[in-house]
Amino acid sequence: MSYLLAFINSPACGLSQPCKSLEKDLASGYRFAELLVHQKVLPADSLTSLRDVPDDLDQCLHNYDTVCKGLDTLGVSYKRAVIGKCISGHRGAAASLLMPVKKALAARGQPPAPPVELSTATSRYKKFTREPLTDWGSDDFMQRTMDSRKPEQWNLIDMDVHLRKFHDEQRRQERVQSEKEEKDASAAAETRAGKKVAQLLQAREKAVFFRSWLDDGDRAWRANQMVKIERERSQLRYELALRTRRGNVRDQETFDSTVEGMDGVLGFEANMKRLGIGNEVQQAAMGPQLSTLAESGLAYLERIEQQARDQVMTVEAKAEMLDTLKQKAHMNQHARHERERRRRKMMVDQQASQADLEKERAKEQLLERLMEDGKRQRATALARWEKQHAREASLRERKVETDRLRAVAAVAVDKGFDELTETCRAQWEQDAPARAAAAAEQKKVNHHKAV
């Protein structure tokens, strides 16, 4: 952070005000724009519409839009989420955006550095690359030596003899490693094929499961509909039976009341006739009544006829009775309408309650199935993760073993070259007097032949 502050406060950046905190001072994006304008990445008139107002979100977004154009021109890769974090003042966001800008500005205008050739390039140990082995079973030392060496190259032949064991060991290790790599490649191919088969089986199992799930749901829905229809039928039959029972009870009570009233009226009238007593209105109109024992038969008949004439209903009484009957009929019709409305409302409420109950049951069953499916998927994922983890561990072990074998082979080759060099050098020094004596002898022989 300190070197980024030193960079942005340097004269090369050309800021109008020093920057004390990257998160606070670069939140508005104005300082970024000043840096890019000073470095001639953006045109000089780009600052005319920009203002350093960190609290104004719209102005900050406008400033960073201009900064993003400069970053695209400079070839700096960035993410839009980093811009939002810079505006919010997140810790490290401004530094993560300023660092690639600094690197891009430092690399701009400079030619690429030529590759430096190492001083030990000719003697440095080369990276091991194994060519495909095409000569299995034809590694004959004698034949290979005769094909590659001439008889006068006795020192090279001697070196090949000393290096034979190292060459054989190298070829053996190469063959072992090649076989191991082929086995690993075949195992990886089998693993991929097994994974693909497992994925296909899993997809097929999912399809079968969802198909059976939908079939079970359809069968359960049809069964629920039949139960619902049968329940509605039984409820309607029960309600009809109740209504019939209430009508029968009401008719019976009406009949009993009518019979009881008729019996009471007839008994009362019989008693009144037997006692010769009428109501007060009749007594006032007809005068004092005589006992049936004191009046004649003709007077009794006249009195009875007069009572019948007095008891005949008038037109007003008849109209009043008809109005009363009409009101009672209207009230009965309204009562029947209200009973029917209450019955329909009760049926609708029962249907709604039953539908809610079925939905709750279906939701609970769905949640249970989802939980079971989740458990099964988690178990499958755990097994897959364990298998992947074991495979990665095996790959790491094989990689470590390969590196170890390569290191052992490199050490063995270096050691063999060192021993061969020392052996050849000692043999050469040891044979030097013999070669000198042979040369002197050959010189004498040549001299004698010339003489």
Side-chain angles (χ1 to χ4, degrees):
M1 297 296 288
S2 58
Y3 67 90
L4 288 178
L5 278 174
F7 164 71
I8 200 169
N9 288 323
S10 63
C13 296
L15 299 184
S16 59
Q17 295 181 2
C19 182
K20 298 181 180 179
S21 174
L22 294 179
E23 287 76 11
K24 295 180 180 179
D25 295 335
L26 298 181
S28 64
Y30 185 80
R31 306 292 176 82
F32 265 124
E34 285 185 342
L35 170 61
L36 297 177
V37 169
H38 185 75
Q39 293 292 334
K40 297 181 180 181
V41 178
L42 291 174
D45 57 350
S46 300
L47 298 176
T48 56
S49 61
L50 307 183
R51 292 185 295 111
D52 189 7
V53 185
D55 298 333
D56 191 352
L57 181 59
D58 295 335
Q59 185 63 38
C60 292
L61 293 174
H62 176 67
N63 295 346
Y64 268 103
D65 288 339
T66 305
V67 172
C68 290
K69 294 179 182 178
L71 295 180
D72 295 336
T73 304
L74 196 58
V76 176
S77 61
Y78 60 93
K79 296 182 179 179
R80 300 296 299 181
V82 177
I83 302 299
K85 292 181 179 180
C86 289
I87 296 175
S88 302
H90 282 218
R91 184 177 180 85
S96 64
L97 187 60
L98 182 60
M99 176 59 73
V101 172
K102 178 179 179 298
K103 292 181 179 180
L105 291 175
R108 189 178 59 168
Q110 295 181 0
V116 179
E117 185 177 1
L118 300 176
S119 60
T120 58
T122 56
S123 61
R124 180 178 292 276
Y125 176 71
K126 304 300 188 297
K127 183 179 179 180
F128 177 75
T129 55
R130 184 184 301 105
E131 298 296 333
L133 300 178
T134 58
D135 57 346
W136 294 90
S138 62
D139 190 11
D140 188 358
F141 174 74
M142 297 296 296
Q143 186 65 35
R144 179 168 53 83
T145 305
M146 291 173 63
D147 294 339
S148 60
R149 304 300 185 191
K150 296 180 179 180
E152 58 271 14
Q153 296 177 337
W154 58 270
N155 53 346
L156 297 178
I157 295 174
D158 188 28
M159 182 178 66
D160 291 340
V161 171
H162 286 288
L163 292 178
R164 178 181 180 180
K165 59 179 180 179
F166 304 106
H167 177 76
D168 293 343
E169 178 65 20
Q170 179 184 359
R171 295 304 297 272
R172 186 189 66 79
Q173 291 183 5
E174 287 179 353
R175 289 189 176 90
V176 171
Q177 186 62 25
S178 299
E179 293 175 355
K180 188 175 182 181
E181 290 178 356
E182 290 178 358
K183 291 181 181 179
D184 294 342
S186 61
E190 293 177 358
T191 303
R192 287 194 297 271
K195 185 182 294 185
K196 185 175 182 180
V197 171
Q199 291 176 354
L200 293 175
L201 291 176
Q202 184 179 7
R204 191 176 295 111
E205 290 176 357
K206 285 185 178 180
V208 173
F209 168 74
F210 281 114
R211 192 179 299 112
S212 62
W213 185 25
L214 293 176
D215 294 340
D216 294 341
D218 184 69
R219 286 194 295 270
W221 179 81
R222 294 180 183 276
N224 291 334
Q225 291 296 318
M226 296 299 298
V227 171
K228 179 180 177 181
I229 293 172
E230 187 62 29
R231 182 172 60 254
E232 291 179 354
R233 289 177 179 175
S234 63
Q235 290 176 353
L236 291 175
R237 286 196 296 268
Y238 178 70
E239 185 177 357
L240 183 60
L242 289 179
R243 292 179 63 182
T244 305
R245 180 178 178 277
R246 286 196 296 269
N248 294 335
V249 171
R250 185 169 58 252
D251 294 342
Q252 185 64 34
E253 290 177 352
T254 303
F255 177 75
D256 294 341
S257 300
T258 303
V259 171
E260 183 180 1
M262 291 178 65
D263 293 341
V265 168
L266 292 176
F268 179 75
E269 290 179 352
N271 291 332
M272 293 295 291
K273 288 179 181 181
R274 193 166 41 249
L275 296 175
I277 302 173
N279 54 23
E280 296 179 357
V281 177
Q282 292 176 347
Q283 290 179 1
M286 299 177 61
Q289 297 291 328
L290 297 177
S291 173
T292 57
L293 298 176
E295 62 181 353
S296 62
L298 183 59
Y300 176 73
L301 290 175
E302 292 178 352
R303 181 171 60 81
I304 294 300
E305 290 176 356
Q306 185 64 33
Q307 289 180 357
R309 285 192 298 271
D310 293 337
Q311 291 178 358
V312 174
M313 296 180 63
T314 61
V315 178
E316 291 80 2
K318 291 179 180 179
E320 184 179 358
M321 183 182 69
L322 290 175
D323 293 338
T324 304
L325 291 176
K326 289 180 180 179
Q327 292 178 0
K328 289 184 177 180
H330 180 69
M331 292 173 62
N332 291 334
Q333 184 180 2
H334 181 68
R336 286 194 299 272
H337 177 70
E338 289 294 326
R339 286 196 298 273
E340 185 66 21
R341 186 180 63 81
R342 288 194 296 271
R343 185 186 69 82
R344 289 195 299 269
K345 183 176 181 300
M346 180 184 68
M347 290 179 63
V348 171
D349 294 341
Q350 289 178 353
Q351 291 178 356
S353 300
Q354 184 64 25
D356 295 339
L357 181 60
E358 295 297 335
K359 288 182 180 179
E360 292 295 331
R361 290 179 179 175
K363 188 183 295 184
E364 292 177 358
Q365 294 176 359
L366 179 60
L367 289 175
E368 291 178 358
R369 288 194 294 269
L370 289 176
M371 290 178 62
E372 293 177 358
D373 191 14
K375 291 180 180 178
R376 186 164 53 255
Q377 290 181 359
R378 286 193 294 272
T380 304
L382 179 60
R384 191 182 298 115
W385 178 85
E386 291 178 351
K387 185 176 180 181
Q388 182 67 19
H389 182 70
R391 179 174 175 273
E392 292 177 355
S394 178
L395 289 176
R396 287 195 298 269
E397 291 177 358
R398 288 198 293 269
K399 184 177 179 182
V400 171
E401 182 65 19
T402 301
D403 295 340
R404 188 185 67 79
L405 291 176
R406 287 179 179 177
V408 170
V411 172
V413 170
D414 293 340
K415 186 176 179 181
F417 275 113
D418 294 340
E419 292 179 355
L420 178 62
T421 303
E422 294 295 334
T423 303
C424 292
R425 185 176 298 164
Q427 186 67 29
W428 182 266
E429 293 177 355
Q430 184 179 358
D431 296 341
R435 288 196 303 273
E441 186 66 26
Q442 186 66 30
K443 187 176 181 180
K444 291 179 181 182
V445 170
N446 293 335
H447 177 72
H448 287 299
K449 286 182 179 181
V451 174

